[in-house]
Amino acid sequence: MKELDYDKIKEAAKAYNADMTAFLRAMISHPSESCEEGDVVACIKAEMEKLGFDEVKVDGLGNVMGFMGTGDKIIAIDGHIDTVGIGNRDNWDFDPYKGFEDDQLIGGRGGSDQEGGVASATYAAKMMKDMDLIPEGYKIMVVGSVQEEDCDGMCWQYIYNKDGIKPEFVISTEPTDGGIYRGHRGRMEIRVDVHGVSCHGSAPERGDNAIYKMADIVNDVRALNNNGCDESTSIKGLVKMLDPKYNPEHYEDARFLGRGTCTVSQIFYTSPSRCAVADSCAISIDRRMTAGETYESCLEEVRNLPAVKKYGDDVKVSMYMYDRPSWTGEVYETEAYFPTWINKESAPHVKALVDAHKALFGDKRIGCPKSMDKREGRPLCDKWTFSTNCVSIQGRYGIPCVGFGPGAESQAHAPNEVTYKQDLSTCAALYVAAVNLYDPSQATGDATEFRASLTGNDIK
């Protein structure tokens, strides 16, 4: 392991800050919603080639990958390059794609979520090559991954199964508000279908209104999210998983990650006309899963809701599948299930980032003045609230993941999205140091604290 000059690493990262800012603004200028990332892929590929990456390629799904070094083992740095839409344009104070910058901020859709991470990772790899800091026997892989907003981790299922690339560990550059993140809740997308019988709206008693049935179910879903877990509660709320009585093996991990949640996110219906009784109704449920919950337990909770049982065979509860074509036209069908995962703080890859941060910046979160209201007083090592590609990288495949990325979680999917210039160089410097502090010989058993069980589907 090489002796690191931390001051020199920080100086090199700061020297590239203007370049990283320009690169991020170029990415922001290309609208890149899920399945429409082609232009931003070309932008990233061109930047990697300009910076002298040893290899740059785009795979069949449309992920762009740049490699530095020639070793057989891979350390990957991942950032997704798709964004959500802009929503109501009237809620933006500036053009979401033209963006803006001042002395501290960069504005634009994708700044925090999460093209800023790709800018930092790309220049970190450049620094490693220029400073002869690519660890012996390794190559550094920077991934601009696609379709994460649509289907977290599906891009890495493709990389793992189709491209055959299996890194030793992965740094996620999703925004972490200056913290180092070692896990997050999982999630799944549940669909509930209700059957009814239509009739003329002038005599609704002749039919069986599917919307009315669904109204009962929706109320029960809300209770599942909101209720407590007292013995007298007929629908015990999801908070129960924080209680050792209901989650004896994993309640401590659940308390670290936070309780699971569920919410109705979409509703659909069919009816012969506006003057007829609805003959079907369906809802989508966004289900966030904490430690101790499985895809099976989440489906069974919905199937056991009083209203669902009341309507019996007229109700079907299932898990969504995802099969939307990528920007290249490739389809990779997978379940809309994204496993929960947590790493041990003592894991070598987590320790590498923590030790790098302490050596470079100290043991507290840092940032520019405009970012510190969300950072002061929070532990350096923590977890995400939302979900990331790590659901596949570590949740499915057990490849160790750890997160450190520029920007703020609270900026994700919000109008007037911003990120912070200082974070770009902070992250680039940390990636360089962490990769060189990583010592796999320190591993003692599995790095994983918790991983949710997988389904029986062997999706290749």
Side-chain angles (χ1 to χ4, degrees):
M1 191 176 295
K2 295 179 181 177
E3 191 73 26
L4 298 181
D5 185 332
Y6 295 105
D7 288 335
K8 189 174 180 182
I9 291 171
K10 286 191 285 188
E11 288 168 10
K14 287 180 181 177
Y16 278 126
N17 208 270
D19 297 280
M20 287 187 278
T21 297
F23 180 32
L24 175 54
R25 294 203 66 189
M27 285 188 277
I28 287 170
S29 73
H30 299 290
S32 55
E33 293 180 36
S34 293
C35 308
E36 299 174 7
E37 304 96 337
D39 288 345
V40 78
V41 166
C43 173
I44 294 165
K45 183 173 183 288
E47 190 80 5
M48 288 176 168
E49 290 170 344
K50 183 186 81 174
L51 295 178
F53 273 67
D54 295 323
E55 181 184 6
V56 184
K57 63 182 182 180
V58 178
D59 71 5
L61 193 70
N63 301 299
V64 57
M65 296 175 280
F67 297 85
M68 286 289 202
T70 57
D72 294 329
K73 295 179 287 187
I74 295 173
I75 295 172
I77 311 176
D78 175 65
H80 73 80
I81 55 176
D82 61 319
T83 72
V84 296
I86 63 170
N88 184 346
R89 176 65 177 83
D90 292 340
N91 289 332
W92 289 75
D93 297 331
F94 56 86
D95 186 312
Y97 300 116
K98 184 177 179 182
F100 78 91
E101 64 177 288
D102 61 20
D103 60 332
Q104 295 184 50
L105 304 178
I106 301 167
R109 176 55 87 217
S112 272
D113 188 22
Q114 60 109 161
E115 290 167 344
V118 176
S120 293
T122 300
Y123 276 82
K126 163 73 169 168
M127 289 167 56
M128 289 182 222
K129 183 175 183 179
D130 289 348
M131 301 173 76
D132 192 25
L133 288 176
I134 297 173
E136 187 176 352
Y138 286 88
K139 65 177 68 168
I140 305 301
M141 173 185 179
V142 177
V143 185
S145 48
V146 297
Q147 288 178 269
E148 189 272 352
E149 296 291 3
D150 252 17
C151 189
D152 331 3
M154 182 273 284
C155 47
W156 270 90
Q157 291 183 56
Y158 193 95
I159 291 168
Y160 185 92
N161 290 314
K162 297 293 188 180
D163 299 333
I165 298 173
K166 301 172 184 179
E168 192 162 309
F169 87 91
V170 179
I171 300 172
S172 169
T173 65
E174 287 269 15
T176 59
D177 281 300
I180 295 163
Y181 287 179
R182 62 184 182 93
H184 61 66
R185 295 177 302 168
R187 73 179 187 93
M188 63 186 297
E189 297 173 1
I190 298 172
R191 182 178 171 104
V192 181
D193 287 272
V194 174
H195 174 72
V197 179
S198 63
C199 70
H200 200 284
S202 64
E205 68 278 3
R206 297 174 184 162
D208 185 13
N209 196 317
I211 291 175
Y212 289 166
K213 291 178 175 177
M214 186 62 81
D216 292 342
I217 294 170
V218 167
N219 279 330
D220 281 3
V221 171
R222 180 164 57 182
L224 181 63
N225 185 73
N226 294 348
N227 283 0
C229 57
D230 295 339
E231 284 297 332
S232 60
T233 307
S234 59
I235 299 175
K236 291 180 174 55
L238 299 179
V239 70
K240 65 180 180 287
M241 298 304 285
L242 307 183
D243 188 330
K245 177 180 178 180
Y246 296 100
N247 191 14
E249 292 184 34
H250 302 295
Y251 73 93
E252 290 180 322
D253 291 330
R255 289 177 180 179
F256 168 69
L257 292 179
R259 51 160 288 185
T261 60
C262 62
T263 189
V264 175
S265 56
Q266 294 176 317
I267 189 162
F268 318 95
Y269 73 93
T270 61
S271 176
S273 77
R274 288 199 298 271
C275 51
V277 164
D279 55 13
S280 79
C281 190
I283 58 171
S284 303
I285 299 173
D286 178 276
R287 179 65 160 87
R288 304 288 158 155
M289 305 162 61
T290 194
E293 295 177 321
T294 68
Y295 81 97
E296 294 161 310
S297 70
C298 294
L299 290 171
E300 282 304 302
E301 274 178 331
V302 177
R303 289 172 180 143
N304 286 322
L305 291 173
V308 173
K309 294 177 80 171
K310 174 183 173 181
Y311 296 119
D313 292 341
D314 286 343
V315 186
K316 178 185 176 185
V317 179
S318 60
M319 180 165 56
Y320 275 99
M321 297 293 289
Y322 180 84
D323 61 357
R324 191 176 171 199
S326 77
W327 70 268
T328 66
E330 185 88 349
V331 174
Y332 188 95
E333 186 176 16
T334 190
E335 311 149 323
Y337 168 62
F338 313 93
T340 310
W341 62 281
I342 315 172
N343 275 303
K344 298 172 183 173
E345 279 195 77
S346 60
H349 63 294
V350 177
K351 192 172 181 295
L353 268 71
V354 172
D355 289 348
H357 195 285
K358 289 179 178 178
L360 289 163
F361 310 115
D363 61 1
K364 292 181 172 57
R365 300 185 187 215
I366 68 166
C368 67
K370 291 182 179 178
S371 70
M372 290 307 295
D373 62 323
K374 301 271 193 313
R375 302 183 180 189
E376 287 179 322
R378 295 176 62 188
L380 179 63
C381 199
D382 208 348
K383 80 283 184 181
W384 280 288
T385 299
F386 57 38
S387 181
T388 73
N389 280 333
C390 301
V391 295
S392 286
I393 303 167
Q394 180 147 359
R396 283 185 179 272
Y397 304 123
I399 298 170
C401 286
V402 61
F404 188 76
E409 274 193 85
S410 61
Q411 293 295 317
H413 303 187
N416 301 312
E417 181 180 353
V418 298
T419 194
Y420 311 102
K421 286 184 175 181
Q422 180 181 328
D423 284 3
L424 299 177
S425 58
T426 296
C427 290
L430 187 131
Y431 301 152
V432 174
V435 161
N436 284 276
L437 291 176
Y438 170 64
D439 183 0
S441 70
Q442 294 181 356
T444 54
D446 189 355
T448 301
E449 179 83 17
F450 176 85
R451 283 172 64 202
S453 62
L454 298 178
T455 71
N457 294 329
D458 186 20
I459 295 174
K460 295 286 174 64

